Amino acid sequence: MEALIKIQSELNAPKNLYNSFGKYSYRSAESILEAVKPLLKENGCQLTLSDDIIFIQDRFYVKATASISDGKETVSVSAFAREDESKKGMDGAQLTGATSSYARKYALNGLFCIDDAKDPDTDEYTKQQKGKAADAPANTSDTLTHALKAIASAKNKASLVEIWNRYSDLHEDPTFTRHMSARKKELL
């Protein structure tokens, strides 16, 4: 599909989010979607995302499928993510939503050929992470500032769950939890 090749070559989906616990930058499915929507419109394509819950060897997996169509051809890529048995501070629906977001991100990565990260088991990954350390927030105050900005820009509940998980070191911070609760109410 010619349009997909064009979108893959033009797409810029930067790692615009920061995990203060793991000290790394990353992108979410929402970040990829925000970056790709103008290119889809420009190329006359439609993107759809779907999820299936699959039970494999006593575990539940979310199978996310990203499909792009130009009206004549359709290309699809699927990715899987396994639900944890439990996650502190999350109910079952939130856990499934977070797992879906993760699987969708990797389906989108596959569809649009997004891969700029090194394998965590390599020396190259360690060098890459050291190079990014300068971009990390310097202290808890900076981390809280980043978290509050992320909360304010959250577009849906899935984004809030992702923010909650990303800033686990702030779960006891009253400012963080107050902003999370207020934004959640706004999005309902």
Side-chain angles (χ1 to χ4, degrees):
M1 174 188 305
E2 194 68 33
L4 179 56
I5 294 168
K6 188 169 188 250
I7 291 169
Q8 288 172 339
S9 68
E10 293 177 7
L11 179 62
N12 180 16
K15 292 183 175 184
N16 59 345
L17 302 169
Y18 183 74
N19 181 309
S20 58
F21 181 74
K23 301 194 181 342
Y24 60 87
S25 296
Y26 69 100
R27 72 180 59 83
S28 66
E30 292 82 6
S31 300
I32 296 168
L33 291 171
E34 184 177 340
V36 79
K37 283 179 181 178
L39 295 173
L40 292 168
K41 183 177 181 180
E42 178 182 313
N43 289 280
C45 292
Q46 177 184 1
L47 175 70
T48 56
L49 297 168
S50 62
D51 293 333
D52 291 307
I53 304 298
I54 298 174
F55 191 71
I56 303 171
Q57 295 183 350
D58 298 329
R59 295 301 300 260
F60 286 101
Y61 290 78
V62 174
K63 176 186 176 188
T65 301
S67 300
I68 186 171
S69 176
D70 64 1
K72 298 173 191 156
E73 295 178 77
T74 300
V75 176
S76 297
V77 173
S78 295
F80 291 83
R82 186 181 77 192
E83 286 191 346
D84 280 337
E85 303 260 339
S86 65
K87 183 88 168 162
K88 184 180 176 183
M90 295 177 79
D91 64 24
Q94 291 170 319
L95 181 58
T96 300
T99 305
S100 169
S101 291
Y102 192 84
R104 285 177 173 209
K105 176 174 85 167
Y106 284 98
L108 290 165
N109 282 349
L111 184 63
F112 296 116
C113 295
I114 302 169
D115 184 17
D116 59 353
K118 300 295 179 188
D119 186 325
D121 295 331
T122 65
D123 290 336
E124 191 61 34
Y125 174 82
T126 304
K127 290 176 190 173
Q128 184 185 53
Q129 294 308 305
K130 285 180 183 176
K132 292 181 180 178
D135 297 333
N139 57 43
T140 304
S141 175
D142 288 344
T143 302
L144 180 59
T145 301
H146 282 265
L148 297 180
K149 286 180 182 177
I151 291 168
S153 65
K155 293 181 171 58
N156 53 44
K157 282 179 61 177
S159 298
L160 284 179
V161 169
E162 198 170 288
I163 293 164
W164 178 261
N165 292 336
R166 183 177 351 132
Y167 293 101
S168 59
D169 53 330
L170 295 176
H171 287 183
E172 303 300 318
D173 185 291
T175 304
F176 176 77
T177 55
R178 186 175 65 250
H179 279 81
M180 263 304 224
S181 295
R183 186 68 179 140
K184 183 178 176 182
K185 288 177 185 173
E186 289 173 4
L187 293 173
L188 291 179

